[in-house]
Amino acid sequence: MPLYRDEAVVLRTVKLGEADRIVTLLTRDHGKVRAVAKGVRRTKSRFGGRLEPFMRSDLLIATGRSLDVVSQAASVGSYAGPIGADYDAFAAANVIAETADRVVAAEKEPAGRQYRLLVGALAALARHAHPSEAIALSYVMRALAMAGWSPRLDSCVVCGRGMAREGDLWLSMEAGGLMCASDHTPNSRRVSRAVVDRVSALLRGDWSAVDAGGGDAAIVADAARVVEEWSAYYLERPIRSLRWVDS
Ligand SMILES: [Zn+2]
């Protein structure tokens, strides 16, 4: 079987037979890959813990007829340790991995920018650079934007006029962004300017603005709901692991 070498992050794993697993990987150069890891569930597996979720490893993979097979794995970044030791970081990593799996739908189509975004988010979680929930929500908005689903937050999607700094605004998932008071449709939802500003900061990865706005629980919670609704609409069903955000 022909071999290829690539760097990858493990997005999820499912059991296969007695001792094996199928691992879903986002790779740097080959996009999303599903591969069999033989014997990985044995205590003395040669892979050690290197094929667990959120691990970043350098892999040697054999091309198979249906599924590829992982032949060797060497650890690159040990994000999994610090992430697994912290409940919020672990929950956020689940959101990030599930989102990456859904946003990169096709297998074996290069997705280098998505890979770099994923690695950056997991590294930020592992070093607790910002609150875990904000890292996850920012990742979701940026991964969706990279896939072509970026909300228009500076002007009305109907009339194109810039949005007022004061007063309530409306956001339409279907129409892809903000609507002004005269154009808003019945299925748009009301949002405050502060919530729009927070969603915009998450989308831009503007961490000084995100961290500065972290103190207002109502704004933080409503911005999280906007991210949840936006992702559910464009991914066509909710991100299951995002539910923790509401609790
Ligand atoms: Zn308008």
Side-chain angles (χ1 to χ4, degrees):
M1 287 196 289
L3 291 166
Y4 60 96
R5 165 158 261 140
D6 205 342
E7 192 188 293
V9 169
V10 179
L11 300 179
R12 67 189 172 100
T13 69
V14 290
K15 288 178 185 172
L16 178 69
E18 288 292 304
D20 307 341
R21 275 200 188 113
I22 296 174
V23 292
T24 302
L25 308 161
L26 188 61
T27 68
R28 189 187 54 203
D29 301 325
H30 294 78
K32 187 158 87 173
V33 170
R34 292 202 316 141
V36 177
K38 288 191 173 142
V40 73
R41 283 155 59 211
R42 294 204 182 96
T43 26
K44 286 190 175 172
S45 161
R46 63 204 164 96
F47 296 120
R50 292 184 291 276
L51 294 176
E52 299 296 322
F54 325 133
M55 287 298 291
R56 179 182 177 191
S57 296
D58 190 33
L59 304 177
L60 194 61
I61 302 173
T63 308
R65 228 170 301 161
S66 55
L67 287 169
D68 291 357
V69 179
V70 180
S71 165
Q72 286 173 25
S75 178
V76 174
S78 52
Y79 308 139
I83 288 172
D86 177 294
Y87 176 80
D88 284 344
F90 182 75
N94 274 296
V95 172
I96 290 167
E98 184 184 343
T99 303
D101 192 13
R102 302 264 303 277
V103 165
V104 183
E107 291 179 24
K108 297 252 176 115
E109 282 180 13
R113 291 175 65 221
Q114 288 285 1
Y115 182 74
R116 287 192 293 279
L117 187 70
L118 171 69
V119 164
L122 292 176
L125 271 187
R127 59 174 201 272
H128 306 294
H130 307 283
S132 297
E133 179 186 318
I135 293 172
L137 295 175
S138 177
Y139 171 80
V140 169
M141 290 309 290
R142 300 184 77 186
L144 282 162
M146 210 174 259
W149 302 307
S150 183
R152 181 163 163 183
L153 297 176
D154 57 348
S155 53
C156 171
V157 293
V158 182
C159 68
R161 275 197 290 269
M163 306 304 284
R165 289 297 310 168
E166 303 302 321
D168 276 357
L169 306 168
W170 285 263
L171 178 63
S172 165
M173 306 302 155
E174 297 91 315
L178 291 182
M179 289 174 162
C180 68
S182 29
D183 291 326
H184 76 90
T185 51
N187 56 8
S188 61
R189 59 109 87 202
R190 233 183 164 111
V191 277
S192 70
R193 167 49 72 182
V195 168
V196 171
D197 285 347
R198 184 166 179 83
V199 172
S200 172
L202 290 167
L203 178 63
R204 294 192 315 271
D206 179 348
W207 286 104
S208 54
V210 171
D211 290 342
D216 191 319
I219 292 168
V220 168
D222 201 35
R225 272 191 294 275
V226 167
V227 174
E228 198 173 346
E229 289 166 27
W230 183 262
S231 57
Y233 184 81
Y234 286 97
L235 294 174
E236 296 179 344
R237 64 193 154 86
I239 297 169
R240 277 172 301 129
S241 39
L242 249 183
R243 292 291 157 80
W244 63 280
V245 167
D246 291 337
S247 58

